[in-house]
């Protein structure tokens, strides 16, 4: 299959497929006499694996490590467990950060009273004050 067919079959953009090839996540495809890339089942399965890992927000370097484990099934998989545990810690940290963001936005939303003019908007005043605080030079 050609790259467009592979892209449609996996839901991965053609530029991303080319990038994954350059990054070594996909093996180099054969080339037809016309120079076009020719992908096989191996590429389809590997790309589906990479796409699934990316959906779990696993970094490319870690995906590369997981692929090495697939290529060497005789190796101990303790590192795979640690890799996923590290990813889980990243996700938990991101969730905590998003919850803090939610609290900030809720507090900001509470600064607004309905039926007021933009000039009286507590949200705009709060955002402006925070922005001005960021650009003020430090006091001696």
């Amino acid at each position: 299959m050609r790259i467009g067919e592979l892209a449609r079959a996996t839901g991965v953009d053609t530029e991303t497929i080319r990038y994954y090839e350059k990054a070594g996540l996909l093996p180099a495809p054969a080339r037809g006499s016309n120079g076009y890339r020719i992908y096989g089942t191996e590429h389809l399965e590997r790309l589906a694996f990479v796409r699934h890992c990316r959906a779990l927000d696993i970094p490319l370097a870690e995906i590369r490590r997981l692929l090495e484990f697939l290529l060497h099934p005789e190796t101990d998989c303790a590192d795979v467990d640690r890799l996923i545990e590290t990813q889980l810690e990243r996700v938990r940290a991101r969730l905590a950060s998003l919850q803090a963001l939610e609290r900030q936005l809720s507090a900001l939303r509470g600064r607004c009273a309905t039926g007021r003019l933009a000039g009286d908007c507590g949200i705009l005043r709060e955002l402006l004050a925070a922005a001005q605080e960021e650009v003020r030079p430090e006091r001696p």
Side-chain angles (χ1 to χ4, degrees):
M1 77 182 81
R2 290 180 35 191
I3 195 167
E5 295 167 309
L6 181 63
R8 282 188 293 282
T10 59
V12 177
D13 183 78
T14 58
E15 289 302 314
T16 303
I17 294 170
R18 288 186 189 105
Y19 176 78
Y20 288 165
E21 283 177 33
K22 289 177 190 170
L25 296 172
L26 290 177
R31 297 276 180 162
S33 59
N34 56 7
Y36 290 156
R37 293 173 171 94
I38 301 171
Y39 297 93
T41 305
E42 173 190 8
H43 296 96
L44 181 67
E45 291 171 355
R46 174 78 67 94
L47 186 56
F49 179 84
V50 171
R51 183 193 45 142
H52 183 67
C53 289
R54 290 300 298 141
L56 296 173
D57 207 28
I58 298 174
L60 295 181
E62 303 300 325
I63 295 171
R64 193 173 289 107
R65 289 182 60 208
L66 290 171
L67 289 169
E68 283 298 316
F69 282 101
L70 288 176
L71 293 173
H72 302 285
E74 72 283 356
T75 58
D76 181 18
C77 72
D79 283 343
V80 174
D81 188 48
R82 282 190 288 276
L83 186 146
I84 294 303
E85 184 60 36
T86 299
Q87 182 61 16
L88 190 54
E89 289 170 9
R90 284 186 202 117
V91 168
R92 288 178 178 145
R94 190 173 316 126
L95 283 171
S97 177
L98 286 171
Q99 289 169 337
L101 177 60
E102 179 185 25
R103 288 189 297 275
Q104 289 176 327
L105 288 170
S106 292
L108 190 57
R109 177 63 180 97
R111 307 285 259 160
C112 184
T114 58
R116 300 181 108 183
L117 300 174
D120 298 327
C121 180
I123 293 173
L124 290 175
R125 276 198 300 255
E126 187 74 22
L127 290 171
L128 184 58
Q132 290 171 342
E133 187 67 31
E134 285 181 14
V135 296
R136 280 193 191 127
E138 290 190 32
R139 296 179 185 131

